[in-house]
Amino acid sequence: EIVLTQSPGTLSLSPGERATLSCRASQSLSSSYLAWYQQKPGQAPRLLIYGASSRATGIPDRFSGSGSGTDFTLTISRLEPEDFAVYYCQQYGSSSWTFGQGTKVEIK
Amino acid sequence: EVQLVESGGGLVQPGGSLRLSCAASGFTFSSYSMNWLRQAPGKGLEWVSYISSSSSSINYADSVKGRFTISRDNAKNSLYLQMNSLRDEDTAVYYCARPRMGSMDVWGQGTTVTVSS
C-alpha cells in the first residue's frame, strides 16, 4: 500500500502570501492518479487538482499542482480569506484510494 | 445539477447494523462507478469501498472487509452501504463520492454514524 505523507502539518500564513504544500509518496506513483482536495469545517471535500496538475472545474487559477514520481506540490499563489482550510492529497491504484493526513492552512 | 445525497446515519450500539443510502441526480448514474468514504471526528479521510457501474467489480478497505457490503440499484439511481458488526472506530461522517480519472469529482454532504453504547 502506498502511504502519502503531507508536510507541513500546519501552515500559518497571511492573506496575500504564497502557500506551498507538499505530498510525498512511499513509492513512485502515476501522476495521472494524484489529486488534491480542500475541506472546510462541516463541509465535504472539494476536488481542486486531478492528474497532479489539472485544475477541476471552477477552481481559480491561483491553485496549481506539480510534481511526479514520489514528490508532489500544491501551490496557492496568493491566499484569499476563503482559502484557509485543510488540504488533502490522494492517490489511486487498483480500485482503492489513499489520502495523506492533511495540511491545515491557518491565518497567521 | 449534479448531486449526491446520503441518508441513513444515526446512533447504533456496538455490534449493531446500519444501512446507508446515497441518492444520485443530475448525471447518468448507471455509467459511473461509485465510492463510499468516511471521516472520523477530527481525523482525515479514509476510503471505505468501491463498486463499478455494473456492480461487477467491488473492493473494500481492510478495516471494513467482511463487515460492510456495498451495492447499488441503477434503476433507482441509488448506492448503498450495509454496515454490520459495527465498532466504536466506525464512528464517522460517511460520504458517497463519484470517482473520475483517479480522483473524486462529486461528493455528497455526508451522513453521521455514531457507534456507542
Side-chain angles (χ1 to χ4, degrees):
Chain A
E1 177 184 311
I2 295 178
V3 176
L4 300 179
T5 302
Q6 293 186 240
S7 61
T10 302
L11 201 49
S12 298
L13 295 168
S14 300
E17 289 193 294
R18 182 184 187 91
T20 303
L21 287 66
S22 174
C23 177
R24 180 161 291 176
S26 59
Q27 56 187 278
S28 184
L29 56 90
S30 168
S31 297
S32 297
Y33 297 140
L34 191 286
W36 291 91
Y37 299 84
Q38 176 193 67
Q39 188 177 34
K40 297 179 181 179
Q43 295 184 16
R46 177 174 71 145
L47 177 65
L48 298 175
I49 301 289
Y50 65 93
S53 61
S54 297
R55 273 187 300 276
T57 303
I59 301 304
D61 61 8
R62 65 180 180 272
F63 291 92
S64 63
S66 63
S68 63
T70 60
D71 291 299
F72 297 88
T73 300
L74 174 69
T75 301
I76 310 171
S77 59
R78 293 172 311 279
L79 282 164
E80 297 288 341
E82 61 268 26
D83 299 336
F84 291 92
V86 179
Y87 293 83
Y88 294 95
C89 60
Q90 167 252 299
Q91 72 86 30
Y92 162 79
S94 302
S95 299
S96 67
W97 288 254
T98 56
F99 291 84
Q101 82 279 17
T103 290
K104 182 179 181 179
V105 178
E106 65 175 23
I107 299 176
K108 185 175 181 180
Chain B
E1 179 191 5
V2 175
Q3 196 171 13
L4 298 170
V5 179
E6 302 94 337
S7 60
L11 175 63
V12 61
Q13 292 187 336
S17 298
L18 212 53
R19 189 194 196 207
L20 306 183
S21 299
C22 169
S25 60
F27 65 100
T28 306
F29 179 72
S30 60
S31 297
Y32 288 86
S33 56
M34 293 295 295
N35 274 337
W36 284 103
L37 303 99
R38 67 185 181 184
Q39 186 169 35
K43 302 297 185 182
L45 297 163
E46 180 188 17
W47 167 78
V48 172
S49 185
Y50 159 87
I51 187 167
S52 64
S53 58
S54 64
S55 305
S56 60
S57 179
I58 284 174
N59 198 18
Y60 299 97
D62 288 343
S63 57
V64 306
K65 201 170 292 184
R67 300 187 298 122
F68 289 12
T69 302
I70 192 171
S71 63
R72 64 190 296 160
D73 185 337
N74 286 341
K76 294 183 177 180
N77 291 336
S78 293
L79 174 72
Y80 306 102
L81 186 68
Q82 177 67 44
M83 305 186 295
N84 298 331
S85 304
L86 283 162
R87 306 166 178 167
D88 290 351
E89 56 266 32
D90 295 319
T91 293
V93 176
Y94 284 73
Y95 297 100
C96 59
R98 186 179 78 174
R100 190 160 179 267
M101 298 194 299
S103 59
M104 282 164 279
D105 66 342
V106 182
W107 294 67
Q109 86 289 349
T111 187
T112 300
V113 172
T114 303
V115 184
S116 175
S117 53

